[in-house]
Amino acid sequence: MNLTHVEHIGIAVKNLDEAVKFYESVFGLECYGIEEVINQKVRTAFFKVGETKIELLEATDPESPIAKFVNKRGEGIHHLAFHVEGIERALEEAKEKGIKLIDEKPRDGAENMKIGFLHPKSTLGVLTEFCEEK
Ligand code: ZN
């Protein structure tokens, strides 16, 4: 598989608007987009730091995986996302190497990306995402 860079780091927050203000006032970053991802029951806000982005995630539903994460572990780093070339093949290759996948096939993510998650139980405890432009 061909990982090109860390595309983003996903951070689970309780209140997206407050978290955006925090990143803007403390780190001097500028939020360039807020987007709701219906199929993941989240609202996201994006910041650029060089080639890498910070993706803040707020649950829009108590059944959202982000709501469950925040209830169990509090706010914090939720996942690490690598940009890959050829996401379908990268997911297949991970599976061939015995990695448990959350997504066997890519699905739609924020920012017009195809995304797929690897299960943290088989990735040293880090929820890992692959993503690629559509
Ligand atoms: Zn992500």
Side-chain angles (χ1 to χ4, degrees):
M1 60 185 79
N2 184 14
L3 275 52
T4 60
H5 59 281
V6 174
E7 214 284 333
H8 63 270
I9 295 166
I11 298 175
V13 300
K14 286 181 185 161
N15 182 307
L16 193 71
D17 298 327
E18 283 177 15
V20 166
K21 276 184 209 148
F22 176 88
Y23 269 77
E24 290 183 334
S25 63
V26 175
F27 298 128
L29 298 172
E30 190 187 342
C31 176
Y32 69 87
I34 290 188
E35 186 182 343
E36 187 166 345
V37 184
I38 307 285
N39 71 14
Q40 290 177 83
K41 301 186 175 88
V42 292
R43 212 156 64 95
T44 64
F46 283 93
F47 301 83
K48 279 198 180 94
V49 188
E51 228 186 334
T52 303
K53 297 161 189 163
I54 300 293
E55 174 186 38
L56 302 179
L57 302 141
E58 173 198 62
T60 54
D61 185 289
E63 289 305 305
S64 164
I66 294 297
K68 289 175 185 165
F69 179 92
V70 168
N71 286 339
K72 203 167 146 193
R73 301 169 59 170
E75 295 179 298
I77 292 183
H78 177 259
H79 66 273
L80 172 64
F82 294 113
H83 182 273
V84 295
E85 284 172 357
I87 187 169
E88 286 87 359
R89 182 70 201 115
L91 288 169
E92 281 168 18
E93 200 180 320
K95 191 177 178 182
E96 285 161 16
K97 289 175 176 169
I99 303 298
K100 191 178 168 202
L101 303 181
I102 293 174
D103 300 300
E104 300 266 329
K105 299 278 176 209
R107 59 187 157 111
D108 291 345
E111 296 212 294
N112 211 27
M113 297 277 234
K114 293 184 287 188
I115 65 167
F117 282 98
L118 315 186
H119 200 287
K121 280 194 177 140
S122 54
T123 50
L124 307 178
V126 178
L127 176 59
T128 302
E129 175 185 352
F130 290 159
C131 56
E132 183 178 42
E133 296 80 12
K134 276 190 197 165

